[in-house]
C-alpha cells in the first residue's frame, strides 16, 4: 500500500493498493513536491504529490527484478536491488536496467543518496566466505560504473551498512548493523572527512544500529536507530543528541 496524510500523520488515506504480497512497495521518495516514485517489483510514479500513482515500469526479464531502495534528483531516479540497478533520466518515461555482479557494488543494498547532480552513493554489504562485509560505493550518474569507497578494514567485518548520510564529497557518515543473528540490532556509527578513505567511530548514547539517516549540506542531520530513538546533529555528525520529545 501507499498511504498519504494531510494532517501531519493523524489520519491516513490509501492512495495505491497493490495486488498481493509479491508486489510490496520497498521504498518511496520524491524528486520535487509533485514528482515521486515508489519501487519494488513494479515501479510507480506520481506527478501530483502522491494523490494518484501510475505503473510506469516492471522488470519482467527475471534478472534481479526486485528493487529495495531508491533516490531521485530532478528528472533522474535510481533504484537498486541484488547486484542490480534501474535508472531513469527522463522522469520515468523510460527505464534502463543494469545487472552486473562483477562490479564494486554491494550485493545487499540498504541505502542510497544522491549527493548532487553528478554523484550517487549506495551502502550495503557483500557476503564473503568468512561472513558479511559492510560496503559503500559511489558512481557518477549515468556512467554505470561503481567504485568501492570503503577500504579493506576489520571494523567493517561482520557488519552491514544500513544508512548513509553525506554532507559533501569529503564528509559523510555510515550507520552499521551487526550481521550476526545473535546481535541483529547492535551497531555503530562511523564518520569520514576524506571521502571514505578513513573512518572514525562516533559514539552515540546507545549501541543500537542507525537504520536511517538524513543530512543537509549545512551540517544539520537526523538519525533513527533500531529501537525507534531519534538523534540530531548540528555539526555534520561529530556529535549527536537524542531528541527526547519525539
Amino acid at each position: 500500500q501507499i498511504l498519504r496524510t494531510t494532517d501531519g500523520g493523524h489520519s491516513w488515506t490509501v492512495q495505491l493498493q497493490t495486488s498481493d504480497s509479491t508486489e510490496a512497495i520497498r521504498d518511496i521518495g520524491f524528486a520535487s513536491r509533485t514528482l515521486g516514485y515508489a519501487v519494488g517489483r513494479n515501479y510507480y510514479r506520481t506527478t501530483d504529490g502522491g494523490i494518484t500513482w501510475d505503473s510506469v515500469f516492471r522488470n519482467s526479464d527475471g534478472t534481479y527484478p526486485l528493487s529495495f531502495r531508491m533516490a531521485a534528483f530532478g528528472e533522474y531516479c535510481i533504484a537498486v536491488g541484488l547486484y542490480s540497478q534501474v535508472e531513469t533520466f527522463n522522469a520515468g518515461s523510460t527505464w534502463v536496467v543494469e545487472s552486473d555482479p562483477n562490479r564494486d557494488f554491494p550485493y545487499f543494498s540498504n541505502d542510497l543518496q544522491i549527493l548532487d547532480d553528478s554523484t550517487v552513493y549506495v551502502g550495503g554489504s557483500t557476503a564473503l566466505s568468512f561472513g558479511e562485509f559492510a560496503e559503500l560505493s559511489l558512481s557518477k550518474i549515468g556512467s554505470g560504473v561503481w567504485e568501492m569507497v570503503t577500504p579493506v578494514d576489520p571494523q567493517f567485518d561482520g557488519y552491514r551498512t544500513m544508512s548513509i548520510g553525506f554532507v559533501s564529497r569529503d564528509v559523510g557518515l555510515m550507520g552499521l548493523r551487526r550481521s550476526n543473528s545473535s546481535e541483529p540490532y547492535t551497531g555503530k556509527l562511523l564518520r569520514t572527512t576524506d571521502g571514505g578513505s578513513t573512518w572514525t567511530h562516533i559514539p552515540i548514547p546507545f549501541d543500537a544500529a542507525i537504520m536511517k539517516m538524513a543530512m543537509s549540506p549545512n551540517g544539520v542531520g537526523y538519525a533513527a536507530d533500531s529501537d525507534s530513538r531519534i538523534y540530531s546533529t548540528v555539526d555534520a555528525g561529530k556529535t549527536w543528541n537524542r531528541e527526547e520529545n519525539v
Side-chain angles (χ1 to χ4, degrees), residues 177-191:
R177 189 191 84 179
R178 284 193 181 276
S179 56
N180 188 331
S181 59
S182 65
E183 302 176 290
Y185 296 111
T186 60
K188 57 186 175 182
L189 183 64
L190 302 178
R191 185 174 186 265

Side-chain angles (χ1 to χ4, degrees), residues 79-126:
V80 295
L82 299 178
Y83 261 144
S84 65
Q85 69 182 52
V86 183
E87 295 173 291
T88 179
F89 299 89
N90 52 17
S93 296
T94 58
W95 297 81
V96 179
V97 181
E98 293 187 27
S99 297
D100 182 0
N102 296 315
R103 56 192 172 158
D104 289 330
F105 187 83
Y107 183 76
F108 299 104
S109 302
N110 294 317
D111 202 10
L112 270 172
Q113 182 185 355
I114 299 176
L115 182 63
D116 49 41
D117 61 359
S118 64
T119 308
V120 58
Y121 290 91
V122 59
S125 64
T126 292

Side-chain angles (χ1 to χ4, degrees), residues 117-180:
D117 61 359
S118 64
T119 308
V120 58
Y121 290 91
V122 59
S125 64
T126 292
L128 303 174
S129 58
F130 53 82
E132 284 193 50
F133 195 85
E135 288 185 351
L136 176 71
S137 299
L138 69 82
S139 177
K140 291 290 185 181
I141 290 177
S143 70
V145 177
W146 291 87
E147 171 191 351
M148 189 180 297
V149 176
T150 44
V152 177
D153 191 310
Q155 66 180 327
F156 302 122
D157 186 13
Y159 285 89
R160 299 173 181 174
T161 304
M162 301 305 298
S163 58
I164 55 178
F166 272 77
V167 175
S168 65
R169 283 293 303 270
D170 291 325
V171 179
L173 297 110
M174 287 197 306
L176 305 187
R177 189 191 84 179
R178 284 193 181 276
S179 56
N180 188 331

Side-chain angles (χ1 to χ4, degrees), residues 208-209 211 223-231 242-243 246:
M211 305 298 286
D225 73 13
S226 53
D227 289 328
S228 301
R229 291 178 286 250
I230 305 296
Y231 306 90
R242 184 181 176 187
E243 295 292 316
V246 176

Side-chain angles (χ1 to χ4, degrees), residues 5-16:
T5 181
T6 57
D7 57 11
H10 294 289
S11 61
W12 296 83
T13 303
V14 176
Q15 306 297 136
L16 176 71

